[in-house]
Amino acid sequence: MGEPMPIPFHRRIARCPIPFDRTVTADISARFEHHARETRELLAGTSGCSPFLRRLVEKEASWLDQALSRDPDDVLTEIFARATADSSDPPRNLRLLKGRLSLWVALCDLAGIWSLGEVTRALSHFADRTIDCALRSALLPELARGKVPGHGPDDLHDTAGVTILAMGKLGAHELNYSSDIDLIALFDSNRFDRADVAEARAAFVRATRRMCTILSDVTADGYVFRTDLRLRPDAAVTPVCVAMDVAETYYESVGRTWERAAFIKARACAGDIAGGKAFLDRLIPFVWRRHLDFAAIQDAHDMRKAIKAHKGLHGDRLLGRDLKLGRGGIREIEFFTQTRQLIAGGRDPQLRDPGTVNALHSLARRNWIGTDVAETLAADYTSHRTLEHRLQMVADAQTHLLPRTDEGFERIACFMGEGDANVLRQDLRARVDRVAAFAEQFFSPGEPGKPDGDTDDPAIVKGWARYPALRSPRAVEIFERLKPDLLHRLGKAAKPEEALIAFDGFLSGLPAGVQIFSLFEANPQLRALIVDIAATAPPLARYLSRNSGVLDAVIGGDFFTPWPSVPVLIQDLDNVLDAAADYERQLDAVRRWAKEWHFRVGVHHLRGLTDAETAGRQYAGLAEAVLAALYPRVTASLAEKHGPPPGRGAMVLAMGSLGAGWLNAHSDLDLIIIYDADGDDYSEGPRPLAARPYYARLTQALVTAISAPTAEGKLYDVDTRLRPSGRQGPVATSLSSFRRYHAEEAWTWEHLALTRARPVAGEAGVQQDVAVARAEILTAPRHRAKVLADLADMRARLAQQPDGSGPLETKRGPGHAQDIALFAQAATLLAGDPSARSPDDQLAKARSYVADYDHDTLSRMDRLCRAVMSAGRLVVDGTISEETLGQGGTMMVLRATGAASLAELAQQLQEQAADCARIISSALARG
């Protein structure tokens, strides 16, 4: 089958303007009498509304007569194809083509053949072609006369390193019907010797000016595009063509928020496209900040106010209203969209779409705005832009002003195909009010409160003015808008006084306020969260004041998605570490990353989205990912000085709670480093080391990487005392020593600890061999009576030690978590099952290997202990008690345990601990 026949032009016409000036309709209809009625009505209506388009219809009647019999897209393609630098008179050729393009785009727009997006893309594509044509025509004489050092006419293929960036609506393929084009001209100074850069710059400046003349000079044939080069770096003092390295230095050092917003839409449109793309790639860190940038909201808010003040756009009449800059206009939607892109685009590349409508839908998909908001604003933006095009089509004027007279409104209504101007007014009024409401809600959600001296605020609130976060006027301005809502939320807490004091602790620890206050202002749900944390977990609130960057994660798009697997976490962290420039930055990066995920676990647990069991597994998975991703970086850093590890390398064996796969919010990590030198006595590197000291340094480096405080804090406290021979033994253990020690010297308690051991990082082969060695140790024949006797002796010695805990401390003491864990480990050791590591799995082993054992009672108590420990450690730094928990923490612990009160919980713990202690003692006595 062949290609389908194109639908004739007149059959694709969906609508037509209504002639405002009917004196021209008969003449236009007569001139095109051999065309279909629909086409004649379109041309008559267009000519009767726009003097500019009427002149083009008359001027291009012969060309138009033929074009109307062809496929609209084919006509456009032909116009593009003729926009080249190969014509004998490029300036005149481009002007002729611009007139035809303007006429054709207008007819396809007015007829409803093309959507707004297709219209703006056609205009933008033509602009790209003409800019490139003008640049090459302007640059060729400079190359031909040898004015560009080291370059000649043969270098015109990549324009000798000159690139033109399209900014604004052209950059986003959203060009207005009669728009200026915003351009930045750059050149690659690295292509020239330092002594030749000035001469090359001078040639490129001349070529850039000539390019603008070709495009924008008005001649008898009209003009192509009015050009504007003022978006270049520091336009008041820089030449019209700027070296790329100079531009990069400018943006990195003094670039402002509005320039970042401008580069959302930037793209290379002419000249050396590859060089332009590379420049924009290098500018990504400037445009897209890694951290959520809520301070951009205040910058945009200030820009909105400045526009209104400068342009006098505060009026609300429709007559003469600026549809672009006025209240509820096009710029409001663009500010709304671009500001949210700047906030989160650094962390989420899916939000970097330059097109306004596409960006709105991306923001909705990533849960930054509601789907209904995106659809409403996208529709209003499309309607605003369509009306803007009609305003510009009347006289080909770069205007955004609505008509100043009723007659003018009637003309535009006719141009829109609407016979009643009042309907247009009503629809427009509803649109601008709707857009303005969205913008005001986002940028100015509340009015500033009264100054502190005029309020009835408590003394603690009046004291906030002294805190570092409220030193700058800008921070105070934002916070004053927030304060009424924050105080209202704090007042609704179960214990308002406790919540206020905890929030005061959070506020006092903030080193600065603009960013965090802007973040709160944009996110009511985040204000609710910080109040919830202050009312429930004061230590977490204080932690947040020192690490407020972790709040980025809350609104980063994925905070409430399902928890990923450990391999996914490792891959994510690997990507973060790969992006860090050096080892020290990697250590900071891993801390930032881990804090965000750690905070996520805590918030989910705090909000009741997960229980203690799930939170414990997530904390353990996070620690495992940190070790797995960090270990090779530590090894690589040491290898730079001393060469790669001798032999087969080392692995990390997780012990204790991490080995069992369950941690709480403040758990430390019990680790053993085991290596296999495999006969290699020394490393091979700049400063070789013997195997034993090499792996000792590797262990120390790993512990330091995890536990040493950097600018971003520390990750975990690390305990390596479970290694063979404890503190007396070497910090790193060889695989052969590990096997020999556990076969010949280890105490029973060390074999009990080994039941929970698990490889988590390091060389895969060594991990496998350690796993085999551990299995051999745990499956070796056991003397049952000795294991149980040793366990009884351990319990007796532990019982003699003061635990220093209150009724809510659940780790130490007969029948508590530690006692149950030792019993479960002993059962696992007797079972000879290396696969049982978790508390539940190990307790289950006792069913088969301990006679008349009450599994349910011990399992229930173990889960209760972990629930108290998990919830309590999240909200309390030290001892868990009624005094330290406070009202909010108490409510969380009770929710986690199901108890009605702390007194009931304490009684429950006491009774169940006594039952568990009797069960364990009875089992040991029976042997």
Side-chain angles (χ1 to χ4, degrees), residues 132-194:
D132 192 71
C133 172
L135 174 63
R136 293 176 186 277
S137 297
L139 184 60
L140 182 58
E142 300 292 335
L143 293 171
R145 294 199 303 267
K147 297 297 184 180
V148 182
H151 293 70
D154 291 343
D155 294 296
L156 192 62
H157 70 281
D158 66 354
T159 56
V162 175
T163 186
I164 305 297
L165 301 184
M167 309 295 289
K169 287 184 169 60
L170 175 57
H173 292 102
E174 296 177 339
L175 199 60
N176 290 338
Y177 183 77
S178 298
S179 181
D180 294 352
I181 51 175
D182 294 304
L183 307 176
I184 294 178
L186 303 169
F187 73 95
D188 185 359
S189 60
N190 292 325
R191 295 178 61 148
F192 304 93
D193 293 337
R194 181 175 298 181

Side-chain angles (χ1 to χ4, degrees), residues 175-395:
L175 199 60
N176 290 338
Y177 183 77
S178 298
S179 181
D180 294 352
I181 51 175
D182 294 304
L183 307 176
I184 294 178
L186 303 169
F187 73 95
D188 185 359
S189 60
N190 292 325
R191 295 178 61 148
F192 304 93
D193 293 337
R194 181 175 298 181
D196 294 332
V197 169
E199 185 180 354
R201 180 191 300 112
F204 293 147
V205 166
R206 289 191 297 270
T208 302
R209 288 175 175 158
R210 192 177 299 117
M211 174 192 75
C212 293
T213 297
I214 292 172
L215 293 172
S216 58
D217 270 10
V218 180
T219 71
D221 298 305
Y223 69 102
V224 188
F225 287 100
R226 293 175 291 266
T227 58
D228 191 333
L229 299 173
R230 289 175 296 175
L231 286 183
R232 69 184 183 274
D234 209 0
V237 298
T238 54
V240 293
C241 189
V242 182
M244 289 182 181
D245 56 348
V246 172
E248 287 180 57
T249 300
Y250 168 84
Y251 291 123
E252 290 171 358
S253 58
V254 297
R256 292 156 288 182
T257 298
W258 72 263
E259 290 171 306
R260 293 175 55 212
F263 271 93
I264 291 177
K265 298 180 181 296
R267 65 181 174 85
C269 72
D272 182 6
I273 300 293
K277 288 180 177 178
F279 171 81
L280 292 175
D281 286 343
R282 295 193 295 273
L283 228 58
I284 286 175
F286 162 68
V287 182
W288 305 108
R289 305 285 170 81
R290 182 192 177 278
H291 291 292
L292 298 177
D293 187 13
F294 283 89
I297 296 175
Q298 184 66 26
D299 288 333
H301 181 58
D302 293 342
M303 281 189 279
R304 290 175 71 239
K305 291 192 296 185
I307 288 173
K308 292 179 181 180
H310 177 65
K311 298 289 185 180
L313 299 170
H314 50 276
D316 209 33
R317 298 177 65 227
L318 289 181
L319 291 177
R321 185 190 194 91
D322 192 314
L323 187 61
K324 178 180 179 181
L325 300 178
R327 174 181 172 274
I330 294 168
R331 183 56 56 83
E332 298 259 68
I333 301 175
E334 293 173 339
F335 270 178
F336 178 94
T337 307
Q338 292 173 2
T339 303
R340 288 181 178 270
Q341 288 181 280
L342 287 179
I343 288 170
R347 296 169 60 91
D348 189 349
Q350 294 185 43
L351 300 179
R352 299 179 186 178
D353 197 303
T356 303
V357 171
N358 288 342
L360 283 167
H361 291 307
S362 296
L363 289 166
R365 284 193 298 271
R366 305 298 287 173
N367 298 317
W368 280 91
I369 58 177
T371 301
D372 56 336
V373 175
E375 291 176 350
T376 299
L377 286 178
D380 289 343
Y381 181 79
T382 299
S383 297
H384 273 3
R385 291 294 310 277
T386 300
L387 176 56
E388 177 188 45
H389 279 201
R390 301 299 176 271
L391 295 171
Q392 296 179 354
M393 285 178 185
V394 172

Side-chain angles (χ1 to χ4, degrees), residues 608-722:
L609 301 176
T610 56
D611 58 14
E613 293 300 311
T614 303
R617 289 193 297 271
Q618 291 176 353
Y619 282 130
L622 177 60
E624 182 178 346
V626 166
L627 290 167
L630 192 54
Y631 175 84
R633 273 75 184 184
V634 174
T635 303
S637 176
L638 187 67
E640 290 179 1
K641 296 179 182 178
H642 304 293
R648 299 171 60 218
M651 59 83 68
V652 181
L653 189 66
M655 307 291 288
S657 296
L658 179 57
W662 192 91
L663 300 177
N664 65 56
H666 294 289
S667 292
D668 58 10
L669 305 184
D670 293 302
L671 305 176
I672 299 176
I673 311 301
I674 301 173
Y675 67 91
D676 183 9
D678 195 29
D680 289 348
D681 295 330
Y682 285 87
S683 64
E684 295 182 1
R687 294 157 57 187
L689 282 176
R692 181 168 176 173
Y694 186 102
Y695 285 106
R697 290 199 185 184
L698 177 61
T699 301
Q700 291 163 349
L702 179 63
V703 171
T704 298
I706 297 169
S707 60
T710 72
E712 297 291 340
K714 66 179 179 180
L715 289 166
Y716 301 94
D717 288 321
V718 177
D719 191 336
T720 61
R721 289 176 295 175
L722 289 179

Side-chain angles (χ1 to χ4, degrees), residues 64 67 99 113 120 127 179 287-288 315 355 472 612 615 692 816 831 834 845 860:
L64 183 59
I113 295 174
T120 59
S179 181
V287 182
W288 305 108
S472 75
R692 181 168 176 173
H816 285 74
K845 288 298 170 187
R860 186 166 56 250

Side-chain angles (χ1 to χ4, degrees), residues 751 754-755 771-782 828-835:
H751 284 167
L754 201 61
T755 64
V772 170
R774 172 181 173 272
E776 292 171 350
I777 295 164
L778 295 181
T779 56
R782 298 284 163 189
T828 302
L829 186 63
L830 292 174
D833 185 355
S835 67

